């Protein structure tokens, strides 16, 4: 069945929104929005399960709910006694609580015994549970990642996690739309992470507040699925509700054959439907921004939020106010000097932003035949068990180990630093994660966000380094 | 949720822009499975010195901030993660309202669902409030205004449903559960289409 053609051209966001309204919004009430997929992890769900229990409610659609363990989990393997090295008894209890809750409420959990366990935003797509046209939520702000598939995906709080568990719906006001058109092509050695850091640097850490961003244009169409996920992942770092990229042949090819993707005739029908999921000619956005990809260079952060981003060889801008000065002081960044050359203590490759196979390959390409500089600690944490298997099958773990890096078990790890993987006060971390807030990677730790290539190059150099020299040499 | 109609308090000011949820409650405290008792961890790494003593530079540690239930915060308060632990911690710490010129979407949504008034005021009035810590304010939810000591008013707007829920103490999950028939009907149509 096809929807009747409307006269008004619609954006991709409007198509997704319209298709999921159980009831439209009115002046007095928000829309009731249906949620196709609810992703669950141990940190933001226990109080919601308790709410169901208190009210004597069942979880409405267990077939639309998928759980995993990722935030509080250790990334060192279990000991000979089978005990996993949890950071605290509370972390262990939290994981056990999710196991209990999933058993009690009938939720599929990708736990320790699953070959598919991993970071929630890595495994959803891997399993083909994330598909174009869906609405997807999770008690996690980086749910925006799934927008890379043309799904409306956003983070929610625990009260709303309970709403979705009990009703499969949310009360939502329609957000505004922001089109970010990226023209031209990214130069060699410049990737999706550089692009999204550049975008946030341009529009600001609150530049997307109240909006759903749709990324468009040739430089976006040229991105792989993994790269699109990196871009959509960080939409929240500009304050946006969600990020979106229209599905295309790249999307379909990536999804085909995944465990939860439709098969056979159902696949063909699905692709035909997904091909309509793009903004119509003449569709209006509330705001539009244009970015020239050809001007972007390897980009890093120099302050304490992701909007404080700049090309690594460009001078750090002077503080415009006391808060920015405090951020520079905290980071020990100096106005007028580039970040390139800053001594590094720790390098982290991982997180829902950059822990997929292509990210690990990018880091390995720099590290192959080289060694992490003396005094630098480097952690490489794959995003999922599947990524770990694939990486090990092509020997990437040996490249990392030979270079002196630690190869860990999948999880969020040092991105959120709640599992014991953390930096010490004052240490400078070049990190492929998504947030450089004060203390995010450990109390007093200083975070510089970067691409996997920049992170790996900085590990080798012992200072923040331009990856392009290393990538060229590796290719030669 | 208990109804929230009017809040009366002196203000304390946290002037920094972009106070993120990691500053409100650091991630390492999120291993809790409860929503209770988070107030003592609120602003932990800002509020305490490394030796555990109160940081005299943290504005809410100053004697004049004692008992303040209203915080005026720098632009873009609550940016970052979706953790509802942030409003839980602020409420348990004793705050009942945050006034700001811009508040991050997920935080604002979470706050209002817990009865923490996350209120956006226009930039000029925000500037005035930032410059006048300790001013006595009354926040009127029904009238959607902040009353100043001289009787002057700062207007604000709450999303109408959020305002209704605050005033009446509406249980939003109950509201959704009452629409179970419409949800079931939607599921039938939606899943037929997808099949």
């Amino acid at each position: 069945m096809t929807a009747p053609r409307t006269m008004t051209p619609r954006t991709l966001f409007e198509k997704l929104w319209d298709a999921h309204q159980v009831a439209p919004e009115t002046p007095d009430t928000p829309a009731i929005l249906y949620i196709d997929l609810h992703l669950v992890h141990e940190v933001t769900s226990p109080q919601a399960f308790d709410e169901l229990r208190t009210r004597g409610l069942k979880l409405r659609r267990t077939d639309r709910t998928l759980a995993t363990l990722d935030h509080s989990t250790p990334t060192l393997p279990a000991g000979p006694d089978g005990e996993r090295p949890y950071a605290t008894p509370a972390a262990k209890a939290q994981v056990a609580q999710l196991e209990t809750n999933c058993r009690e409420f009938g939720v599929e959990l990708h736990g320790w015994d699953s070959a598919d366990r991993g970071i929630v935003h890595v495994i959803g797509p891997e399993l083909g549970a994330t598909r174009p046209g869906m609405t997807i939520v999770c008690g996690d702000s980086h749910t925006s990642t799934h927008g890379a598939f043309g799904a409306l995906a956003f983070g929610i709080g625990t009260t709303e996690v309970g709403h979705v568990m009990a009703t499969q719906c949310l009360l939502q006001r329609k957000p505004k739309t922001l089109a970010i058109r990226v023209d031209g092509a990214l130069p060699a050695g410049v990737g999706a992470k550089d692009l999204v850091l550049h975008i946030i640097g341009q529009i600001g850490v609150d530049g997307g507040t109240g909006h759903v961003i749709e990324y468009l244009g040739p430089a976006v169409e040229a991105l792989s699925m993994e790269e699109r996920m990196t871009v959509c992942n960080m939409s929240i770092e500009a304050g946006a509700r969600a990020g979106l990229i229209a599905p295309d042949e790249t999307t379909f090819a990536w999804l085909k054959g995944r465990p939860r993707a439709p098969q056979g005739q159902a696949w063909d029908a699905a692709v035909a439907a997904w091909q309509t999921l793009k903004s119509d000619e003449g569709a209006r956005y509330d705001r539009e921004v244009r970015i020239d990809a050809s001007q972007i260079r390897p980009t890093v952060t120099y302050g304490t939020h992701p909007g404080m981003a700049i090309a690594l060889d460009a001078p750090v801008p002077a503080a415009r106010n006391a808060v920015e000065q405090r951020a520079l002081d905290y980071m020990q960044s100096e106005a007028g000097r580039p970040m390139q050359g800053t001594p590094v203590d720790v390098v982290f490759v991982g997180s829902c932003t950059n822990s997929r196979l292509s990210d690990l390959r990018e880091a390995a390409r720099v590290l192959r035949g080289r060694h992490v500089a003396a005094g630098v600690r480097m952690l490489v944490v794959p995003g999922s068990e599947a990524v770990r298997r694939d990486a090990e099958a092509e020997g990437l773990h040996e490249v990392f180990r030979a270079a002196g890096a630690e190869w860990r078990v999948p999880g969020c790890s040092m991105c959120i630093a709640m599992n014991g993987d953390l930096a010490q006060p004052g240490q400078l971390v070049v990190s492929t994660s998504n947030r450089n807030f004060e203390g995010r990677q450990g109390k007093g730790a200083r975070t510089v966000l970067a691409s996997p290539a920049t992170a790996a190059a900085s590990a080798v150099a012992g200072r923040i380094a331009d990856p392009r020299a290393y990538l060229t040499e590796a290719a030669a | 949720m208990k109804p929230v109609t009017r809040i009366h308090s002196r203000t304390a000011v946290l002037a920094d822009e972009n106070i993120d949820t990691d500053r409100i409650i650091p991630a390492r405290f999120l291993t809790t499975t409860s929503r209770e008792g988070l107030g003592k961890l609120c602003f932990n790494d800002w509020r305490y010195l490394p030796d555990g003593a109160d940081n005299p530079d943290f504005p809410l540690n100053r004697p004049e901030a004692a008992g303040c239930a209203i915080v005026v915060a720098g632009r873009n308060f609550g940016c970052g993660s979706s953790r509802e632990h942030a409003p839980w911690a602020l409420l348990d710490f004793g705050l009942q309202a945050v006034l700001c010129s811009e508040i991050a979407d997920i935080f604002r949504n979470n706050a209002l669902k817990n009865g923490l008034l996350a209120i956006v005021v226009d930039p000029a009035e925000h500037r005035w409030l930032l410059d006048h810590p300790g001013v006595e304010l009354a926040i009127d939810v029904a009238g959607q205004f902040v009353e100043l000591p001289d009787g002057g008013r700062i207007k604000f707007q709450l999303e109408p449903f959020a305002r209704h829920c605050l005033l009446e103490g509406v249980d939003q999950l109950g509201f959704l559960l009452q629409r179970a028939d419409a949800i079931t009907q939607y599921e039938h149509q939606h899943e037929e289409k997808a099949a």
Side-chain angles (χ1 to χ4, degrees):
Chain A
M1 196 182 92
T2 45
R5 287 188 74 86
T6 54
M7 297 302 289
T8 317
R10 291 185 299 167
T11 62
L12 170 57
F13 162 73
E14 287 167 320
K15 292 181 184 184
L16 297 170
W17 178 268
D18 291 348
H20 289 88
Q21 290 184 101
V22 172
E25 62 181 351
T26 70
D28 293 334
T29 51
I32 299 178
L33 196 70
Y34 194 77
I35 302 305
D36 292 319
L37 176 65
H38 186 196
L39 300 166
V40 172
H41 63 75
E42 70 274 25
V43 177
T44 53
S45 65
Q47 300 86 351
F49 280 112
D50 280 346
E51 189 71 23
L52 294 191
R53 233 177 248 119
T54 303
R55 293 176 185 244
L57 294 168
K58 286 200 287 200
L59 194 142
R60 183 180 175 95
R61 293 296 298 264
T62 52
D63 58 332
R64 293 189 177 277
T65 312
L66 190 63
T68 190
L69 306 172
D70 55 6
H71 283 68
S72 299
T73 52
T75 59
L76 287 168
D81 55 357
E83 280 291 310
R84 296 196 177 266
Y86 284 98
T88 60
K92 184 178 179 179
Q94 190 178 53
V95 165
Q97 187 64 52
L98 183 61
E99 290 167 340
T100 303
N101 287 338
C102 287
R103 259 197 313 274
E104 184 178 332
F105 287 90
V107 173
E108 180 178 329
L109 169 67
H110 289 282
W112 286 118
D113 56 353
S114 166
D116 299 316
R117 191 188 66 80
I119 303 175
V120 66
H121 309 308
V122 175
I123 71 164
E126 269 175 5
L127 293 169
T130 297
R131 297 187 297 275
M134 295 177 102
T135 45
I136 302 175
V137 298
C138 174
D140 193 292
S141 60
H142 292 108
T143 309
S144 59
T145 310
H146 307 262
F149 291 81
L152 178 60
F154 53 93
I156 56 176
T158 297
T159 297
E160 291 188 317
V161 167
H163 291 183
V164 178
M165 285 177 173
T167 69
Q168 206 59 33
C169 287
L170 283 175
L171 291 161
Q172 292 284 303
R173 284 284 173 193
K174 193 173 182 174
K176 294 183 188 149
T177 51
L178 164 61
I180 297 185
R181 288 181 198 278
V182 191
D183 297 315
L186 290 170
V190 178
K193 185 62 165 293
D194 302 306
L195 168 62
V196 73
L197 286 172
H198 176 82
I199 289 172
I200 302 165
Q202 294 292 305
I203 70 171
V205 68
D206 56 354
T209 301
H211 293 73
V212 167
I213 298 176
E214 182 179 349
Y215 301 95
L216 301 144
V220 174
E221 288 162 25
L223 297 174
S224 69
M225 279 322 296
E226 287 83 355
E227 292 171 320
R228 293 179 189 188
M229 285 189 255
T230 300
V231 171
C232 287
N233 172 276
M234 290 199 63
S235 302
I236 180 66
E237 307 312 332
R241 271 315 257 137
L244 276 175
I245 295 175
D248 60 10
E249 294 305 322
T250 303
T251 321
F252 310 147
W254 197 91
L255 276 175
K256 192 167 188 184
R258 296 203 175 255
R260 291 194 174 203
Q263 314 286 332
Q265 279 190 333
W267 170 259
D268 296 337
V271 170
W274 295 343
Q275 275 164 338
T276 67
L277 294 173
K278 54 187 167 204
S279 292
D280 296 329
E281 195 77 38
R284 300 271 299 268
Y285 299 86
D286 293 294
R287 270 173 67 207
E288 295 198 33
V289 171
R290 292 194 99 98
I291 301 281
D292 179 0
S294 66
Q295 299 303 309
I296 300 174
R297 307 201 292 280
T299 300
V300 295
T301 56
Y302 60 89
T304 54
H305 66 66
M308 298 176 89
I310 197 164
L312 55 72
D313 56 356
V316 168
R320 290 169 299 182
N321 54 47
V323 177
E324 286 187 359
Q325 187 57 52
R326 187 162 169 267
L328 295 190
D329 293 346
Y330 179 88
M331 287 302 297
Q332 300 168 30
S333 297
E334 201 180 314
R337 286 177 64 127
M339 291 303 286
Q340 188 169 7
T342 306
V344 171
D345 301 299
V346 181
V347 171
F348 171 62
V349 174
S351 86
C352 57
T353 314
N354 283 122
S355 64
R356 297 175 181 84
L357 186 62
S358 57
D359 300 313
L360 303 187
R361 283 176 177 159
E362 184 179 311
R365 201 167 147 217
V366 170
L367 288 175
R368 198 179 296 274
R370 297 196 174 98
H371 204 278
V372 171
V376 175
R377 177 185 184 207
M378 182 174 185
L379 248 70
V380 183
V381 185
S384 69
E385 289 295 344
V387 170
R388 177 160 78 146
R389 271 195 304 280
D390 291 347
E392 290 184 355
E394 49 187 83
L396 299 185
H397 63 312
E398 281 162 9
V399 174
F400 296 131
R401 283 181 178 149
E406 298 174 45
W407 175 244
R408 294 291 188 94
V409 170
C412 301
S413 182
M414 202 186 271
C415 172
I416 188 163
M418 59 180 290
N419 75 329
D421 297 344
L422 48 79
Q424 298 307 309
Q427 284 192 321
L428 187 122
V429 188
V430 177
S431 178
T432 67
S433 55
N434 40 54
R435 291 198 171 126
N436 52 333
F437 298 151
E438 264 184 44
R440 171 83 177 181
Q441 297 192 291
K443 196 170 175 175
R446 299 177 294 144
T447 301
V448 173
L449 301 178
S451 71
T454 299
S458 303
V460 171
R463 294 169 178 274
I464 296 176
D466 190 327
R468 289 173 295 189
Y470 295 83
L471 290 166
T472 318
E473 278 175 48
Chain B
M1 194 174 76
K2 278 186 292 190
V4 180
T5 54
R6 198 173 163 89
I7 289 171
H8 189 270
S9 167
R10 273 178 301 113
T11 63
V13 170
L14 292 175
D16 286 10
E17 292 179 0
N18 306 311
I19 294 175
D20 58 74
T21 52
D22 278 271
R23 276 181 101 184
I24 299 171
I25 180 158
R28 63 181 183 280
F29 300 126
L30 304 187
T31 51
T32 178
T33 55
S34 164
R35 64 177 78 197
E36 311 295 334
L38 298 175
K40 60 183 184 294
L41 305 170
C42 194
F43 296 114
N44 189 86
D45 295 353
W46 192 3
R47 177 177 163 191
Y48 303 114
L49 295 170
D51 66 2
D54 283 355
N55 175 7
D57 291 338
F58 177 58
L60 304 187
N61 280 344
R62 295 193 191 123
E64 61 271 25
C68 288
I70 301 175
V71 156
V72 180
R75 193 170 58 92
N76 198 29
F77 186 81
C79 62
S81 96
S82 63
R83 64 189 69 157
E84 203 159 311
H85 310 68
W88 294 337
L90 292 166
L91 283 162
D92 192 46
F93 179 72
L95 298 181
Q96 297 172 57
V98 180
L99 298 178
C100 197
S101 58
E102 182 182 78
I103 300 179
D105 289 330
I106 307 179
F107 173 82
R108 188 172 51 163
N109 199 14
N110 286 341
L112 292 171
K113 282 189 163 50
N114 287 276
L116 175 68
L117 296 181
I119 289 176
V120 175
V121 295
D122 89 28
E125 286 159 338
H126 181 233
R127 186 70 256 163
W128 188 89
L129 290 168
L130 285 172
D131 291 342
H132 294 82
V135 66
E136 289 271 350
L137 299 180
I139 301 175
D140 188 293
V141 176
Q144 300 188 98
F145 61 82
V146 178
E147 198 166 80
L148 302 170
D150 65 0
R153 287 179 175 186
I154 296 172
K155 291 209 163 80
F156 63 84
Q157 284 209 307
L158 285 169
E159 191 279 303
F161 186 71
R163 177 170 153 268
H164 168 70
C165 292
L166 288 165
L167 288 171
E168 305 294 330
V170 171
D171 165 26
Q172 296 195 17
L173 177 50
F175 177 91
L176 275 171
L177 286 166
Q178 281 166 15
R179 274 122 191 109
D181 288 349
I183 297 169
T184 304
Q185 194 185 356
Y186 174 88
E187 281 176 331
H188 286 321
Q189 288 169 355
H190 186 58
E191 281 160 19
E192 226 166 80
K193 227 185 297 177

